[in-house]
């Protein structure tokens, strides 16, 4: 893991703490990661806790204690220690990604589901509006995935009122119409445009569905070459950490979407996951006369895990995930 990648990991930890209500601070644009100074330990250190202490209204040590478990659980991180006045010292290690990929493949479409809303009834009171009804319909599935039950009613006072669409999205077809309504944040006006139908990189829905189809195609190609994915072959030095991180963040994205009633959070996370996979897809299959190796088996397992997350997330949004595109 490079310092730049570790910096992103630290910022993701801050974002998780903010989303969970543990910290009330603006997420900074960057986190400084350096070699440990005198009295430090591990491979890298960051002063992010000292940076956030004043805006958080807490001591640096308190902020460090909040961030520590969020950083410790990140792929590629073996241990986090707090030294001095609140420096977070990070030791890197391998093996975490293999367990993560195996977990995704074992759980399948239920990966990321949890009990954040176990036993709770979430009442969604919506206006007679297409976008509000689509958002509520999606939240029924997302809330159920977190152990709760959502009940949708047309009643006052309304507690779920996203900005309505400027026009009827139905001509886009069911998948693109739902995406057009769900991808923007609730306070943003959705854009109803044929751009949601174009099959090119500028269309995030296309990138997600194309990435999913590519994971299935890679599996078919690997079958033809006579090898299968094996999570146990994942090695730290060959991990695409952006993709591993996206898979690890998926359960958190689902929890936030359910507890804050924001399916757009899930939609945006699927874009991140798809983009991370597409950047690495060319490494999955052997080239030319190259024989399949342990690295290829590991990359195939990671690709299959990405496909599992993309298909599961699209299903929660009510959008199809075709195997061929």
């Amino acid at each position: 893991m490079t310092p730049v990648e570790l910096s992103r990991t630290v910022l993701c930890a801050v974002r998780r703490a903010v989303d969970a209500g543990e910290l009330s601070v603006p997420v900074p644009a960057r986190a400084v990661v350096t070699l440990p100074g005198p009295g430090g330990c591990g491979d890298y250190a960051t002063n992010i806790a000292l940076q956030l202490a004043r805006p958080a209204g807490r001591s640096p040590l308190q902020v460090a204690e909040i961030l520590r478990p969020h950083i410790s659980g990140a792929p590629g991180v073996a241990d986090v220690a707090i030294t001095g006045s609140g420096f977070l010292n990070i030791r890197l290690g391998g093996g975490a990604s293999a367990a993560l990929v195996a977990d995704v493949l074992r759980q399948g479409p239920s990966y990321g589901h949890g009990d954040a809303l176990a036993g709770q009834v979430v009442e969604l009171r919506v206006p007679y509006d297409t976008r509000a009804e689509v958002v509520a319909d999606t939240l029924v599935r997302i809330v159920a995935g977190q152990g709760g039950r959502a009940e949708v009613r047309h009643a006052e006072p309304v507690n779920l009122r996203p900005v309505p669409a400027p026009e009827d999205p139905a001509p886009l077809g069911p998948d693109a119409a739902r995406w057009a309504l769900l991808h923007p944040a609730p306070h943003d006006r959705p854009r109803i445009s044929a751009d949601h139908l174009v099959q090119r990189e500028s269309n995030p829905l296309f990138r997600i569905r194309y990435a999913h189809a590519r994971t299935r195609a890679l599996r078919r190609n690997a079958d033809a070459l006579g090898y299968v994915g094996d999570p146990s072959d994942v090695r730290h030095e060959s991990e695409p950490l952006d993709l591993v991180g996206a898979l690890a963040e998926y359960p958190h994205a689902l929890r936030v979407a359910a507890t804050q009633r924001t399916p757009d959070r899930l939609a945006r996370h699927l874009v991140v996951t798809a983009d991370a996979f597409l950047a690495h897809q060319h490494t999955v299959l052997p080239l030319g006369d190259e024989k399949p190796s342990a690295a290829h088996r590991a990359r195939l397992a990671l690709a299959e895990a990405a496909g599992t997350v993309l298909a599961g997330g699209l299903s929660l949004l009510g959008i199809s995930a075709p195997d061929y595109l």
Side-chain angles (χ1 to χ4, degrees), residues 2-318:
T2 67
V4 172
E5 291 168 333
L6 186 55
S7 175
R8 288 199 294 264
T9 296
V10 172
L11 289 179
C12 286
V14 174
R15 191 171 294 110
R16 285 196 297 271
V18 170
D19 288 342
E22 298 169 327
L23 286 176
S24 179
V25 294
V27 178
R30 63 188 293 263
V32 176
V33 173
T34 63
L35 296 177
C41 58
D43 299 301
Y44 294 100
T46 176
N47 66 348
I48 191 69
L50 285 76
Q51 179 183 342
L52 297 179
R54 177 170 291 180
R58 297 171 180 265
S59 72
L61 284 174
Q62 289 175 323
V63 176
E65 288 290 355
I66 291 171
L67 294 178
R68 180 180 179 179
H70 292 291
I71 298 174
S72 298
V77 175
D79 184 53
V80 179
I82 300 172
T83 60
S85 57
F87 287 91
L88 286 155
N89 294 255
I90 303 166
R91 181 169 62 85
L92 304 180
S97 296
L100 170 66
V101 172
D103 197 32
V104 175
L105 296 177
R106 182 178 63 254
Q107 294 187 41
S110 64
Y111 170 69
H113 294 198
D115 58 1
L117 296 175
Q120 296 185 35
V121 177
V122 178
E123 186 177 357
L124 302 175
R125 299 187 299 274
V126 302
Y128 287 95
D129 170 72
T130 299
R131 188 184 185 197
E133 291 170 348
V134 169
V135 169
D137 172 72
T138 303
L139 284 172
V140 168
R141 287 186 293 277
I142 294 176
V143 168
Q146 297 301 312
R149 186 176 83 253
E151 297 181 348
V152 182
R153 294 193 299 148
H154 292 286
E156 295 289 346
V158 168
N159 64 3
L160 184 67
R161 191 194 295 272
V163 174
E167 56 188 285
D168 183 11
L172 296 177
D175 287 333
R178 291 187 72 90
W179 178 262
L181 299 177
L182 294 171
H183 181 233
H187 57 270
D188 290 335
R189 184 175 296 279
R191 180 175 51 85
I192 308 303
S193 164
D195 289 346
H196 294 298
L197 299 174
V198 298
Q199 297 195 18
R200 54 173 177 251
E201 290 184 359
S202 60
N203 179 0
L205 176 59
F206 169 73
R207 297 204 304 274
I208 295 172
R209 300 175 86 206
Y210 174 68
H212 172 263
R214 285 295 299 149
T215 67
R216 298 301 189 252
L218 291 170
R219 172 61 185 271
R220 294 192 296 270
N221 293 337
D223 285 344
L225 293 172
Y227 76 99
V228 297
D230 186 352
S232 66
D233 283 330
V234 173
R235 299 289 188 272
H236 172 65
E237 62 271 15
S238 63
E239 295 167 7
L241 292 175
D242 50 353
L243 178 54
V244 173
L247 299 182
E249 282 283 309
Y250 180 66
H252 177 70
L254 290 185
R255 285 195 298 274
V256 172
T259 57
Q260 298 186 8
R261 304 177 187 175
T262 52
D264 59 290
R265 176 62 184 267
L266 169 58
R268 292 195 302 274
H269 189 78
L270 294 180
V271 176
V272 171
T273 304
D275 289 346
F277 164 75
L278 291 173
H280 297 285
Q281 60 162 328
H282 63 282
T283 68
V284 175
L285 297 177
L287 299 177
D289 296 331
E290 187 181 10
K291 299 297 183 183
S293 65
H296 293 114
R297 292 192 293 271
R299 294 166 193 158
L300 178 60
L302 184 57
E304 291 179 297
T308 296
V309 164
L310 293 172
L314 285 173
S315 177
L316 289 173
L317 296 177

